[in-house]
Amino acid sequence: MKKIGIVLLKILLGLIETILILVIVINILLILSDKVLEKPYPSIMDYTYLTINKNNEFLGLKKDDLLILDIRKTFTNKDIVYYRDEDKYKLGKVEEIIVENVLVKNGEIEENTTKGLVEGTLILTINKVGKLVNILFQPMSLLVSIIILTIVSIIQNFISKKTKQGKEEKPDFKKMKRYN
């Protein structure tokens, strides 16, 4: 029974360690995207994410939704796009595309923009995950993740040494053959 508990603990610590490493890597990529590439939004491999702060009935988005956007600017009519309007970024539904001009609608508001100002197309909406993402992917979470990862690694090392203690057999040199 004690061995099963140790095995389960090792598996749990391994999962925690994997999740923490993933959070650390994504945080570092987001910091690099922000500071080095100086983009106004975080991006990883032609994708970015947004979290919704308030409900938008016209676009069918709810507070705390996580939106995954493709920033390669491939969009068609009725797609939800993320576009730049002067110094602001907005979401809207494409109503019409005429050569380089795009008519975008959000509720009662219709705006004309160009294809070059469309920063991304919505490809996936994940309900109620935005709040968690906002908590996990920020600089303070990076520091906390590194500290917890260090503690988990120390515990794993301690458990590994504890389970191996006394089980190592020392070689009997008297029984070994000599090779000359």
Side-chain angles (χ1 to χ4, degrees):
M1 187 68 169
K2 193 174 184 180
K3 286 185 179 186
I4 293 173
I6 291 173
V7 170
L8 289 175
L9 182 62
K10 284 183 179 181
I11 291 171
L12 178 66
L13 290 174
L15 286 173
I16 291 171
E17 190 174 49
T18 303
I19 291 169
L20 289 171
I21 289 170
L22 186 63
V23 168
I24 290 168
V25 168
I26 291 174
N27 268 307
I28 290 171
L29 287 173
L30 294 175
I31 289 171
L32 286 175
S33 174
D34 181 39
K35 302 296 182 200
V36 177
L37 301 176
E38 296 180 0
K39 290 188 176 183
Y41 50 84
S43 65
I44 300 172
M45 297 173 45
D46 292 334
Y47 297 95
T48 189
Y49 71 91
L50 296 174
T51 55
I52 301 299
N53 297 327
K54 61 182 180 179
N55 292 340
N56 185 323
E57 290 181 26
F58 180 76
L59 299 176
L61 304 173
K62 295 182 179 84
K63 185 179 180 192
D64 294 331
D65 283 354
L66 175 69
L67 308 180
I68 307 296
L69 302 163
D70 182 351
I71 59 177
R72 290 174 283 185
K73 299 180 182 84
T74 55
F75 57 90
T76 59
N77 283 346
K78 305 297 180 199
D79 280 347
I80 296 175
V81 294
Y82 182 59
Y83 65 99
R84 188 175 43 209
D85 182 31
E86 296 178 19
D87 291 340
K88 291 182 177 180
Y89 284 87
K90 299 178 178 181
L91 285 167
K93 188 178 283 189
V94 175
E95 289 296 313
E96 189 176 6
I97 303 170
I98 305 168
V99 189
E100 285 297 312
N101 293 323
V102 181
L103 179 64
V104 179
K105 187 174 183 181
N106 190 347
E108 297 297 316
I109 301 168
E110 284 187 353
E111 294 181 317
N112 281 313
T113 188
T114 63
K115 285 184 178 182
L117 294 177
V118 175
E119 298 288 336
T121 307
L122 178 66
I123 57 171
L124 179 65
T125 302
I126 305 172
N127 297 329
K128 303 294 180 196
V129 179
K131 197 171 196 173
L132 177 66
V133 168
N134 282 339
I135 292 168
L136 287 179
F137 300 141
Q138 57 179 314
M140 189 62 180
S141 293
L142 176 64
L143 181 65
V144 170
S145 297
I146 291 171
I147 292 169
I148 293 173
L149 181 63
T150 304
I151 293 168
V152 167
S153 296
I154 291 169
I155 292 171
Q156 280 182 323
N157 194 12
F158 179 74
I159 290 172
S160 180
K161 284 184 179 180
K162 218 42 168 167
T163 56
K164 288 182 181 177
Q165 193 175 26
K167 291 185 178 180
E168 294 180 21
E169 291 185 28
K170 297 180 181 173
D172 188 2
F173 292 110
K174 292 179 182 176
K175 293 182 180 177
M176 293 179 100
K177 293 183 179 179
R178 273 192 177 174
Y179 296 99
N180 290 334

